[in-house]
Structure formats: C-alpha cells, structure tokens
Amino acid sequence: MFAVALCFGTVAAPTALAKRTTLHLGDRALRAGASGSDVRELQKALRKAGFTVKVDGQFGPTTVRAVKRFQRAAHLTASGTVGRKTIAALRAAATGSSANVSAKNGGTAATRSRSKGRAKSLGDRVPVKRGMHGHDIRVLQDLLGDAGYDVVVDGEFGGSTFSAVQQFEGAHQRPVDGVMDADDITALRAAAASGAAVNPAAAAPAVNDGPQATVGPDGLAVAPAGAPPQVQQIIAAGNQIASKPYKYGGGHGKWDDTGYDCSGSVSFALHGAGLLEEAMPSGSFTSWGDAGPGQWVTIYANGGHMYMVVAGLRFDTSGRSNHNTRWQTEQRSSAGYTVRHPPGL
C-alpha cells in the first residue's frame, strides 16, 4: 500500500489577456511585467536560440530567467531587461552568427547582413544543443575528442555528441542537461587544452549484465547493458534527483530545483534524454507520446499523480520516504492511470 502525495497535476485556466497593441520587438525596452505582441516575439526568439520559455506574451518570471540566461551566455549584463543590444544578440544567435559581435555593434544593418552566415566558431551561437549542425558543432566535437571523449567529428549534434556532452558535464560538475552554454564552452576549452584527464568509460552511466535495471545501496539506478542510450540517459538524469525531497510544483519553471513533485520528477528525467523541452503537469502526460506500454519506458498518468517504469524500475515520488529514493523495485496498481510511452521506447 503506497501513500500518494498530492501532486502538481492540474493548471488553472489563465485569465483573459488584455487586448494586445501591435508592437514589434525593438519598438520599446522590455522588462518584467510587460505584455503584448513584442513580448511574444521575444519569447519566440528565445526559443529559436534554444531557451525554454512559454510563448504567451507575458513577461513573467520564466521569461525573465530565460532572458538573463541568454544575456550571460552572450556576455551581456544579465539585467533581465531587453534593450537593443540584447535584441541584436538574440537575432544573431538565432541565425547562427556571432551574438557578441552583433551586440557590440548594436545590431546595425551590416551586422544583420553578416548574421545570415553560418557560425564560424564554437560560441558564435549559444546555447549549442541537440539538433544543431555546422562548423561550430565540428569544433565542439573536436574539443570533446581532445578532452578524452569518444565522438565522431561530423558537424551534427546527434545522440553520440549529446551523450559525450553529458559525460563532460557530469565529470566537470556542470549541470547535466546536454546543452552547452558559454560557461560550459569555457570549461570544455580548458579541459581540451589540458588533455584527456577524464576516462569517458568511467563517466558513462553504470550498467549491469541483467535484463532489467537495478537499484544500488546508494538508491541510484543501474541500467542494463542492453538499454538504448536514451534509456540510460533517463536513468542518469533520474539519479540526479533520486533522493531530492518532494516539493509541490518543484521542477516546474526551472530544472534545477530544491525538490520535485511527481510530474516535475518525470519531466526532469525525460528532459535529461532530450525527450522533453518543458516540464508538464501530470494531466498533460495523459496525451503525451504514444498510447500503451513501451518496451523500455512506460508512463502512468492521471490528473492528480503520475510515475513511470524505466527498464523494470518504478520512478515515483510515492514511496520515496520508505527507501529515500524515487527508484522502486516494487510495482503498484495502474488502475485509474492512462498508460503512455515515449515514441520508440
């Protein structure tokens, strides 16, 4: 019998938005509390540059955090206020040119013309993440190789590069999200310059020889050797928060939180494998992915709670207090839950 914690399962319906005036990004400086069509353009630009933010036309806390993260990555003052330099840097980053050059030149016509070119060096566009391709990705892969990680230099930020980046992040006490921001790039350049100081095999997720995942005495899950890379990445991400406390709403709005609720926990683990860009409430998972159980990962969700089973282990906030880990060998009744799974898993 498992006690079910209250969970971040439903989202209140938004209030009606005030009528938006037709403003375009750059018509005015934007800061917390602003709203309108230009804020929507800002949010779309942030998403195109690789930052997770909801496009709702409201300059709320999530947008402020995303703006500050971008400003830090582009070596601008992280004020959270969007002026001409931030806008120029955003446009340049989204098109793959040098955000730093654009910001310094104030987004002139000449700069915008140069922004049509492809990024020439790592750091010309930030953040660098899965799905990107180009010369800067080749530089990233070359640096990863110099730092001791096994990756093919092909200019495509695919699964193997994603795994290598996660290994690097874990070995260098960086947030393990598979996304390279400006600070990650600086750390990687330093690691590459000092040579292969890390054994990639040691940094990779632990595996066992059995058909299912197991839980070690430390409460961390160990993936089976035959598990696909994304399953191993889900387990590696889940291990990061396995013993974090339950927190209502935790993991929603920011990935690095002091605690996580049920949907925040599952969202975090799926995000670690590149399967989810934003945390979702449990009710939203009832229509996410594909219907029915998966071969490796199965999600059980309803409007008030959710959990998932990964390679035979249950990942669930309910029961964490018994073992001080979200990884459970015991299963539970799935009655009343909608069953879904990530496509292909």
Side-chain angles (χ1 to χ4, degrees):
M1 186 82 179
F2 296 93
V4 178
L6 292 175
C7 212
F8 191 71
T10 58
V11 177
T15 57
L17 299 178
K19 184 178 180 180
R20 299 187 183 95
T21 57
T22 304
L23 292 169
H24 295 289
L25 186 60
D27 287 348
R28 57 174 177 163
L30 295 174
R31 54 181 55 86
S35 63
S37 53
D38 51 347
V39 177
R40 291 181 64 86
E41 289 183 25
L42 166 66
Q43 292 164 331
K44 289 179 180 179
L46 286 165
R47 288 179 67 90
K48 191 172 182 180
F51 292 82
T52 299
V53 63
K54 185 177 181 180
V55 180
D56 60 3
Q58 302 296 311
F59 202 131
T62 302
T63 301
V64 171
R65 285 192 293 269
V67 166
K68 287 183 176 180
R69 284 183 61 205
F70 172 76
Q71 289 171 326
R72 283 192 293 268
H75 302 293
L76 298 172
T77 301
S79 63
T81 297
V82 179
R84 62 183 182 85
K85 289 186 177 181
T86 299
I87 293 170
L90 259 176
R91 287 170 174 161
T95 54
S97 69
S98 173
N100 296 339
V101 171
S102 299
K104 291 176 182 177
N105 289 339
T108 63
T111 298
R112 287 194 294 271
S113 176
R114 286 197 297 273
S115 74
K116 294 178 181 179
R118 179 171 292 182
K120 298 300 182 184
S121 183
L122 183 62
D124 281 355
R125 53 178 173 174
V126 286
V128 182
K129 65 175 187 174
R130 191 169 187 163
M132 288 182 168
H133 61 89
H135 180 75
D136 55 341
I137 306 304
R138 295 179 67 89
V139 176
L140 167 65
Q141 293 164 330
D142 187 57
L143 287 172
L144 285 168
D146 288 345
Y149 298 89
D150 185 15
V151 61
V152 176
V153 181
D154 60 4
E156 300 290 337
F157 199 135
S160 63
T161 301
F162 181 84
S163 297
V165 167
Q166 284 195 316
Q167 291 171 24
F168 164 77
E169 290 170 329
H172 291 268
Q173 291 75 55
R174 307 292 305 165
V176 183
D177 56 9
V179 176
M180 296 291 288
D181 61 19
D183 291 337
D184 291 329
I185 291 169
T186 299
L188 176 58
R189 290 188 187 280
S194 62
V198 177
N199 178 3
V207 296
N208 64 55
D209 294 329
Q212 294 187 328
T214 56
V215 182
D218 56 1
L220 302 181
V222 180
Q230 282 187 309
V231 173
Q232 296 188 37
Q233 291 158 8
I234 290 172
I235 290 175
N239 281 342
Q240 293 180 53
I241 63 168
S243 298
K244 285 285 187 80
Y246 173 87
K247 176 183 174 182
Y248 179 79
H252 296 268
K254 61 180 179 179
W255 291 116
D256 185 13
D257 212 336
T258 55
Y260 298 81
D261 64 14
C262 61
S263 54
S265 299
V266 173
S267 293
F268 184 94
L270 294 175
H271 174 71
L275 296 172
L276 202 65
E277 290 190 359
E278 294 182 346
M280 300 195 309
S282 57
S284 296
F285 277 98
T286 60
S287 58
W288 182 83
D290 291 340
Q295 179 182 357
W296 290 97
V297 182
T298 303
I299 294 168
Y300 299 87
N302 59 33
H305 187 63
M306 72 173 302
Y307 63 97
M308 69 177 172
V309 174
V310 184
L313 289 181
R314 179 166 60 96
F315 188 68
D316 193 352
T317 53
S318 179
R320 186 194 64 80
S321 58
N322 297 330
H323 305 285
N324 195 35
T325 178
R326 284 169 170 76
W327 295 111
Q328 313 287 325
T329 55
E330 304 92 345
Q331 300 303 317
R332 58 180 292 170
S333 171
S334 61
Y337 290 88
T338 299
V339 182
R340 312 287 295 185
H341 69 275
L345 297 178

